[in-house]
Every structure is written in structure tokens, then in C-alpha cells.
Amino acid sequence: MTDWQRTHFCGELRPEHIGRAVTLNGWVHSVRDHGDLVFVDLRDRTGLVQLRADRSQSEAVLTSLAAVKPEYVLSVKGVVSRRAEGMENPRLPTGEVEVGVEGVEVLNTCRQPLPFPLNDENQMSQVNEELRLRYRYLDLRRPRMYETLRLRHRVVAGIRRFLDEHGFVEVETPIFTRSTPEGARDYLVPYRLQPGLFYALPQSPQQYKQLLMVAGIERYYQIARCFRDEAQRSDRQPEFTQLDMEMSFVTQEDILSITEALTIHIVETYSEKRLGSKPFTRLTYDEAMARYGTDKPDLRYGLELTDVTECLASSEFSVFRDTAAAGGAIKAIVYPGGSSLSRKALDDLGRTAREFGAKGLVQVSVVELGGSETEPVLHGPVAKYLDSDQKRSLLQRCGAATGDLVLLVADTATNASAVLGRLRTLIADRLGLADRNVLHFCWITDFPLVEWNQEEGRWDPSHHPFTMPHPADLAFLESDPGRVRAQCYDIV
């Protein structure tokens, strides 16, 4: 191997290397055999480069290169040359050059056929995940997988540099610990010397970082491994890595500021995506629920919910009138251009709303906005129960335009918001309103401290038991716990 040690990486060859003798090591990405001419794409961790063997140059080299298969491990000697005119590949950084092969050494073969096509990302999207995991060592050879791992490495390194510059100290906390109350079940590890006793794997380093604050560390962080025994979902894994931080002698504003600055630094340094707003949008929990029907709103598009209870409380439609009289709410969302939906599509919307928990979904199509002297023209079963002023007020409050569809739910304010919040996401997906190249971060603050557990008949922490009540709400801790806000926050 000494004589075949690489002199260059595959992905770094450029026109300035033309004429230079190189030795490359890597994996065969693809082979194209044209008889008297063979092309091989050789891959290493830096990228791909095209190899060329010509029968007129060397029969032996051509035969050797034609015999290789995808994922063979090669060491290759050759000279960098410019690709033939019209044969350049602008999609590759090395697309202007190729390596004329003068010698090939097969370092390792690979059993054929491969379980999946590593060199075709379109086909890989159809490959069963269990098969990929069974052959994980092959799956990780894909350039896309390598780039993901490399990006993670760069982000973690960037986090460490940023926090070091801001006076934080990285401290590793124990993995084997005692069970403490968290949001999920613990993974337990039996203690060999005393049967019946168990260690617990940490769901978070919560108590250790509090100990570090008491010990005077003041600014701690850790790239922490956490373990939670809960059902797997797309946003829930049994083990995961999180950035864990803690600070002493600070306010909530200090924490929001340092976290926001770190997030902006990471996105702008390591991502091609754009930030939706700087500084980040801030909403209280109540504002988020009222305007978007969720505490994790997607702010890449509008479609805000509107409370139209005041507009419609006195209408002739009994559902609206009775809901308002009972202290409930009538909330609306506009489906842009929704008036053109088919009857089936409208029925599907109603069915979906009921699946989301609505008792019913009122649909009003905007045919004409009307003017100061003309009444708006609305279509829908409820339109006949609304007078001219109620129609104008509804359209003005919602900001609806001609051709739009207004969707209304009458229920408790909480349920009406939740249903319309889910419909908001559905509408945005159908209309493609969310720009995938934008990250619009948002702080959600002032969460409820506790929420009522109907099954257990008790108040449970909304987030976790370590949050501090809002000073202005301390008077309600005993008399009305549901009114107490917590000094906790989420970034979404």
C-alpha cells in the first residue's frame, strides 16, 4: 500500500492540476464500459472524480478497470487531464477534469449485487429503511449521508466555539444516575452487586446542571446524550443528543438573547436557508393559540385565525347565537381561492374538521365583496342567516377577498382554535405557502404553569416541574392554578 498511498483527494482536483501525476484512493461509485473506453467515477469523502482508461493507451489498464464493480475499493495512479470539449459535467466540482489511469490496484472487492443502489438517490428514496439499517455500513457510504454527518460535526464544533467565546464551560455529567421525575419513562440498568437495585439512564442532565450552578460554574453547557423510554414517532426517539445549557445570575431575557444569537450564528454560518425574521418573532402562549391555534406555529405564511364572535353573536343562525351566549367563541380562517373548490372537496374539509374535533364546519364562499351601497354576496347554507352588516363585518374582520372561502367553527375558544389551527396547516400544505428555503423562528413565552389532568383529577405541570411561576400570578397558585403563567419558553 505504501507505493499506492494517495497524493490527492478525489474531490479536490481542478483545472490547475492538469498535467500532474496523482495517486487516488477511494470507492467505485459507477462504471461505464464503452468497449475501447471505460469510465469510472471514483469517490472518497471529498467527492467524485472521473477516471478514464483507453485501449489505445494500455490494454492491461483497460481490462483491469473494466473488471471493477460498484463499491470496490481502489488505489489508482494516473495523470490529470482536461475532459473532451462538450463532455464537462457542471454538476460536479471536478467536472472539468478527469484522470487518465496508468495503474489500478484493487484493495478490496464488494459482493454483487448490492442490496440497494448507492449511486442513485432517487431510487434510494424507495428503499426500505430496515434494509438500509441492515447494511448501514453501505448506506453511510452515500455522499448524502456523509455530508449530513459532516454538517452535524461542523455545527457541533461551531456551537462549542460560540459558547467558549461567551464564557461557557463544557462539563460532561454522569450517564448512570438515579431515577428522577421527567416527562417519560426511564431506561433502567440492573446493578450487578445488589439485585433489585437499578441505575437510570438520564432523560436530561437537569439535576446535574443545577448542582453545577450551586457549585459556582455559572455558565455550563454540554452536548448531552439523553434517553427516554417512549413510543417512537418522527419527533420522538429513544435516545437523542441535545445542547444542554444553564446560567446563573441571569434573567429570562438573558437566556433568550444568548440562545437567539447562537441560533442565528449557526443558521447563517452552516445553512443555505434564510431566516424569516431577525430578531425572532415573540408570541405569548395565549397569543399563539388565539392567532394560530397551536403553540408551535409555522410563521412562513399568514392564514391567521380570527375571532368573529362579536360580529356574529346576534345572527339568526342558532349555532352561532347559542355558542356566544354560552361563553364560547366563533373563530374563522380564510382559505385563499377556496370558493372554486368542488363539492367533494368541501365535504372532505368538513369531514376532516370533524376528525380534528369540531362539531361542524361552516363554509362561506365570497362571491362579491360589495361596497358602501351594495351588500356583499356570500354563498353557503349560513349566508341567508346573516344581515348586510354582519356580512361586511365578517369579511372585514377576516380580510377575505372575492373568491376566498371562509371557514368557521363555533365551540369553546380552545377547541375552535385547535381545529382551525390544524386546518391552517392543511390549507398551507395544499397551496404550497411555506417556503422551504426559509426558517422562521419564533419564541413562545408565558406558558401555563399547570394544566388539569381530567383522568387523574389533578393539576400536572404543562412543561416540567422545574419551572418558576410568573411573579405577577403568585396570588393565584392556591385559588386558581390554571391562571398562573410559567417563566418558561420554547423556540419553534
Side-chain angles (χ1 to χ4, degrees):
M1 180 67 188
T2 304
D3 294 338
W4 294 85
Q5 188 72 38
R6 69 155 58 105
T7 60
H8 296 75
F9 289 99
C10 296
E12 70 180 9
L13 297 181
R14 298 291 188 274
E16 55 264 31
H17 295 101
I18 291 173
R20 189 174 300 180
V22 298
T23 302
L24 306 175
N25 302 152
W27 291 262
V28 174
H29 193 68
S30 63
V31 181
R32 299 180 298 283
D33 189 343
H34 299 288
D36 291 337
L37 196 61
V38 173
F39 295 102
V40 169
D41 288 333
L42 191 69
R43 181 191 73 242
D44 64 15
R45 65 186 180 89
T46 65
L48 303 174
V49 68
Q50 178 173 280
L51 309 179
R52 175 182 51 79
D54 192 328
R55 190 182 302 276
S56 63
Q57 301 295 323
S58 172
E59 180 80 30
V61 169
L62 179 78
T63 302
S64 298
L65 202 62
V68 304
K69 303 295 181 184
E71 298 312 308
Y72 275 29
V73 187
L74 304 183
S75 189
V76 175
K77 291 184 177 182
V79 176
V80 180
S81 61
R82 186 177 295 279
R83 290 198 189 194
E85 186 176 351
M87 301 302 292
E88 300 90 349
N89 186 348
R91 293 173 297 177
L92 289 178
T94 61
E96 294 181 72
V97 299
E98 62 186 9
V99 175
V101 179
E102 296 179 347
V104 180
E105 180 79 11
V106 176
L107 304 179
N108 205 353
T109 61
C110 181
R111 183 183 301 168
Q112 305 290 322
L114 295 173
F116 40 71
L118 279 71
N119 56 9
D120 190 330
E121 284 298 330
N122 290 329
Q123 291 190 50
M124 283 301 302
S125 64
Q126 307 300 318
V127 174
N128 182 277
E129 188 172 17
E130 291 184 6
L131 183 63
R132 287 177 52 198
L133 291 173
R134 187 184 309 164
Y135 295 96
R136 190 61 163 167
Y137 56 92
L138 288 178
D139 188 46
L140 290 175
R141 291 185 183 183
R142 295 158 51 207
R144 179 177 178 181
M145 299 299 292
Y146 173 78
E147 286 303 321
T148 299
L149 291 173
R150 185 167 178 267
L151 175 61
R152 183 186 188 279
H153 156 74
R154 294 175 63 217
V155 167
V156 170
I159 289 172
R160 286 192 164 104
R161 284 193 297 270
F162 180 93
L163 293 179
D164 181 62
E165 292 169 1
H166 286 79
F168 284 78
V169 176
E170 182 175 12
V171 181
E172 292 185 356
T173 56
I175 292 296
F176 281 6
T177 184
R178 293 185 62 181
S179 180
T180 58
E182 293 277 358
R185 292 179 295 274
D186 290 322
Y187 280 109
L188 301 179
V189 180
Y191 180 44
R192 178 178 58 85
L193 298 180
Q194 289 186 255
L197 294 183
F198 299 85
Y199 293 107
L201 301 184
Q203 296 187 40
S204 77
Q206 182 70 41
Q207 292 200 344
Y208 287 114
K209 67 182 178 184
Q210 291 176 335
L211 182 151
L212 290 170
M213 294 304 101
V214 175
I217 299 299
E218 291 197 29
R219 290 198 168 199
Y220 140 91
Y221 84 94
Q222 179 180 186
I223 309 298
R225 199 69 173 171
C226 302
F227 306 87
R228 298 190 176 190
D229 184 8
E230 55 187 352
Q232 292 191 48
R233 305 199 305 267
S234 61
D235 61 346
R236 291 288 188 274
Q237 301 296 328
E239 58 176 306
F240 58 92
T241 303
Q242 69 179 29
L243 169 61
D244 198 65
M245 300 166 57
E246 191 69 83
M247 293 186 282
S248 297
F249 307 113
V250 293
T251 64
Q252 176 174 298
E253 184 59 38
D254 295 322
I255 299 170
L256 299 188
S257 296
I258 192 73
T259 305
E260 184 169 321
L262 171 60
T263 305
I264 291 172
H265 168 71
I266 294 300
V267 172
E268 293 186 337
T269 304
Y270 302 107
S271 175
E272 296 180 355
K273 295 183 182 292
R274 306 187 309 275
L275 288 168
S277 68
K278 286 194 307 182
F280 294 168
T281 304
R282 294 193 184 186
L283 298 171
T284 67
Y285 173 85
D286 289 341
E287 287 176 327
M289 296 303 295
R291 294 169 59 183
Y292 303 102
T294 177
D295 61 0
K296 41 184 180 294
D298 189 336
L299 300 186
R300 291 175 295 177
Y301 51 88
L303 299 186
E304 289 194 27
L305 314 187
T306 307
D307 191 324
V308 293
T309 309
E310 185 179 343
C311 307
L312 305 178
S314 60
S315 75
E316 295 299 316
F317 187 52
S318 61
V319 172
F320 288 168
R321 189 174 61 250
D322 295 345
T323 298
I330 308 165
K331 306 207 73 171
I333 188 172
V334 174
Y335 190 142
S339 289
S340 62
L341 293 176
S342 66
R343 170 49 54 189
K344 180 180 182 303
L346 294 175
D347 291 342
D348 288 344
L349 269 179
R351 185 162 46 253
T352 300
R354 289 189 291 274
E355 291 173 357
F356 289 164
K359 298 172 184 175
L361 181 69
V362 175
Q363 303 168 354
V364 177
S365 296
V366 184
V367 180
E368 292 181 14
L369 287 178
S372 58
E373 303 295 331
T374 58
E375 180 176 330
V377 179
L378 306 181
H379 282 177
V382 175
K384 62 184 177 183
Y385 296 105
L386 307 180
D387 63 31
S388 180
D389 289 341
Q390 290 167 345
K391 291 178 181 178
R392 287 197 183 90
S393 181
L394 171 65
L395 298 182
Q396 290 172 0
R397 187 70 64 88
C398 294
T402 299
D404 289 346
L405 179 70
V406 181
L407 305 176
L408 302 104
V409 173
D411 206 328
T412 63
T414 300
N415 198 51
S417 294
V419 171
L420 290 177
R422 296 180 68 179
L423 286 177
R424 175 179 180 267
T425 302
L426 184 149
I427 294 168
D429 287 344
R430 289 183 177 180
L431 299 180
L433 299 182
D435 187 340
R436 293 181 178 274
N437 293 314
V438 171
L439 296 173
H440 196 132
F441 290 97
C442 173
W443 286 109
I444 307 296
T445 63
D446 295 342
F447 281 83
L449 179 69
V450 292
E451 57 188 5
W452 182 249
N453 185 327
Q454 190 67 39
E455 293 182 2
E456 301 290 336
R458 68 185 186 192
W459 292 100
D460 286 341
S462 293
H463 267 214
H464 54 72
F466 304 104
T467 52
M468 181 184 296
H470 199 289
D473 298 339
L474 289 175
F476 305 116
L477 268 177
E478 296 293 336
S479 60
D480 191 1
R483 289 183 60 180
V484 181
R485 294 167 295 165
Q487 292 194 67
C488 64
Y489 35 83
D490 263 349
I491 187 170
V492 296

